[in-house]
Amino acid sequence: MARQKNWVRRHEILRNTFMLLKKRGMENVSLQMIADKSGISKSLLQSYYPHKNLLITAIVTNFMTAILKSLNSAEFKDLNEYSKMKIFIYLILEQGIQDKGVERVVKSILSDNESLDRWSQILDDWLKKEGVKHDLGNDRQVQIGLSFIVTGGGSLYIKRNELNLDADQISDIMVKTFMSTFLAMDESKINQVLNEAKSVLQEYELTTLPQTINKMFDE
């Protein structure tokens, strides 16, 4: 019973943190603000999450896991894993473009090195789960590749207006760089992957994703 209560409290804290990040961005949210919104003391909050970065990392994990779960839907389940990677990255970035609140969360993620590392790790774990990690070559090479595209893609996202880039173009660049530079795949294979993803995304109802994101702390 105590464990369940602890889990419910953690989800409540994360939900309130997510709401504050959507409204204000990471730089304008303090632990005291999170504690006040959660109706607890700062010291109790810190017994769960001693530092704000731990909260951000937990938000990253839940946010991206919620989007990854959407890749199990009927529209995506039979796709090539690299097409799914393209769609996963696109959905994260596109949500930030469409929703100013989510954009503040995405920018908070992209401005925090631990969160970027967590994003890379989530992708790495997902590739293992998909059963393709062992086919990709050297493990270190894959980890470096994922870290590179997440950091580089994040920079492109932040500068997207200046560079006149959208979520589709940025996700293309990230996946193409990973497949060509770090996995040495040929251009025809890469184009097939990207075209497959684009074709499916044209039929996907993006309005269903915000509901998934808003409910990610309800379980």
Side-chain angles (χ1 to χ4, degrees):
M1 188 69 177
R3 180 177 295 180
Q4 182 179 3
K5 184 177 180 180
N6 178 57
W7 190 250
V8 170
R9 174 64 60 78
R10 284 182 180 273
H11 273 207
E12 182 180 355
I13 291 170
L14 291 175
R15 185 183 301 108
N16 290 328
T17 302
F18 185 68
M19 291 171 64
L20 286 169
L21 289 175
K22 286 182 67 175
K23 186 176 182 179
R24 305 175 68 93
M26 182 170 69
E27 67 278 6
N28 297 314
V29 174
S30 66
L31 286 176
Q32 187 62 61
M33 291 169 62
I34 296 168
D36 290 344
K37 189 168 183 62
S38 301
I40 58 177
S41 66
K42 183 179 177 181
S43 60
L44 180 55
L45 170 63
Q46 289 181 294
S47 71
Y48 290 99
Y49 299 100
H51 308 290
K52 190 165 71 170
N53 279 356
L54 292 177
L55 273 165
I56 301 300
T57 301
I59 295 289
V60 172
T61 302
N62 281 271
F63 179 65
M64 295 191 176
T65 299
I67 293 178
L68 275 178
K69 285 181 178 178
S70 71
L71 298 186
N72 294 326
S73 63
E75 297 97 326
F76 304 139
K77 67 178 182 179
D78 296 326
L79 290 180
N80 177 286
E81 57 274 0
Y82 304 109
S83 296
K84 288 184 179 181
M85 181 185 286
K86 147 76 181 182
I87 291 169
F88 169 63
I89 295 170
Y90 169 83
L91 292 177
I92 291 172
L93 301 182
E94 184 64 17
Q95 284 304 295
I97 291 172
Q98 291 193 11
D99 185 318
K100 290 298 182 184
V102 174
E103 180 181 29
R104 293 187 185 97
V105 175
V106 173
K107 283 186 174 180
S108 295
I109 293 170
L110 297 176
S111 64
D112 179 70
N113 287 333
E114 290 184 25
S115 295
L116 288 172
D117 289 344
R118 183 60 183 141
W119 185 351
S120 300
Q121 187 60 55
I122 288 170
L123 279 172
D124 189 67
D125 291 343
W126 175 72
L127 288 172
K128 291 177 185 175
K129 185 178 179 182
E130 288 288 301
V132 297
K133 178 71 181 291
H134 62 282
D135 296 328
L136 302 184
N138 182 276
D139 183 64
R140 176 172 166 77
Q141 179 184 15
V142 172
Q143 290 179 340
I144 291 172
L146 292 174
S147 179
F148 182 85
I149 66 165
V150 167
T151 303
S155 296
L156 291 178
Y157 174 81
I158 290 173
K159 297 177 181 179
R160 68 184 186 279
N161 292 327
E162 175 187 342
L163 298 172
N164 195 28
L165 293 171
D166 58 23
D168 183 54
Q169 293 168 315
I170 296 170
S171 55
D172 273 3
I173 292 169
M174 291 172 70
V175 174
K176 186 171 185 176
T177 300
F178 181 63
M179 294 179 71
S180 63
T181 303
F182 295 94
L183 303 184
M185 292 187 176
D186 62 66
E187 188 173 354
S188 62
K189 172 67 172 177
I190 295 169
N191 290 335
Q192 178 185 348
V193 163
L194 297 180
N195 289 333
E196 180 181 56
K198 292 174 192 292
S199 177
V200 173
L201 279 170
Q202 288 178 350
E203 305 298 324
Y204 181 64
E205 183 53 67
L206 277 173
T207 57
T208 63
L209 194 56
Q211 299 171 19
T212 300
I213 293 172
N214 290 332
K215 292 178 179 178
M216 65 184 171
F217 302 119
D218 291 346
E219 297 179 358

